[in-house]
Amino acid sequence: VQLQASGGGLVQAGGSLRLSCVASGRTFSSYALGWFRQAPGKEREFVAAISWGGSAYYEDALKGRFTISRDNAKNTVYLQMNSLKPEDTAVYYCAADSDSLHDYEYWGQGTLVTVSS
């Protein structure tokens, strides 16, 4: 599985962005999908995940601002980010796995989100 993330950019605090991640492969609908982020000087952290059945999970601090969704017909997973804050600045990575919502085998290349104050 190959993953291609896009949609990052520069946005002012309070703004919104929608990240997309397109996956190759014919079994996309059976994969768990996740979004992670890594801020400068920090470790990578979990953002959100969505199961093959469509159940969504979020880092507690991001609930209510971020929404993960998937479109199996387009082999795409999305991350809608609202009310962005400067501390959301990071490289965002999408990931996929056929078995787990917690440990991902496949990773995209990352897309940079910069939130200015």
Side-chain angles (χ1 to χ4, degrees):
V1 176
Q2 292 185 326
L3 302 169
Q4 181 73 40
S6 63
L10 175 63
V11 63
Q12 288 188 334
S16 297
L17 279 176
R18 188 176 79 158
L19 306 183
S20 301
C21 178
V22 180
S24 64
R26 295 177 292 177
T27 57
F28 177 83
S29 61
S30 65
Y31 279 76
L33 304 163
W35 285 98
F36 293 75
R37 69 184 183 183
Q38 187 167 18
K42 295 186 177 181
E43 293 187 352
R44 187 171 61 195
E45 64 177 3
F46 171 76
V47 173
I50 188 165
S51 72
W52 38 90
S55 297
Y57 306 87
Y58 299 93
E59 165 60 36
D60 285 345
L62 301 177
K63 288 180 181 178
R65 293 198 298 124
F66 288 17
T67 303
I68 189 172
S69 61
R70 64 190 298 163
D71 185 338
N72 291 334
K74 296 182 178 180
N75 278 17
T76 302
V77 58
Y78 303 100
L79 184 68
Q80 178 67 44
M81 305 185 294
N82 298 328
S83 301
L84 284 163
K85 304 175 182 180
E87 52 263 44
D88 294 319
T89 294
V91 177
Y92 284 72
Y93 298 90
C94 57
D97 196 88
S98 59
D99 296 317
S100 175
L101 280 166
H102 305 287
D103 297 313
Y104 291 87
E105 181 175 1
Y106 305 103
W107 292 84
Q109 87 291 358
T111 185
L112 176 62
V113 172
T114 303
V115 184
S116 63
S117 58

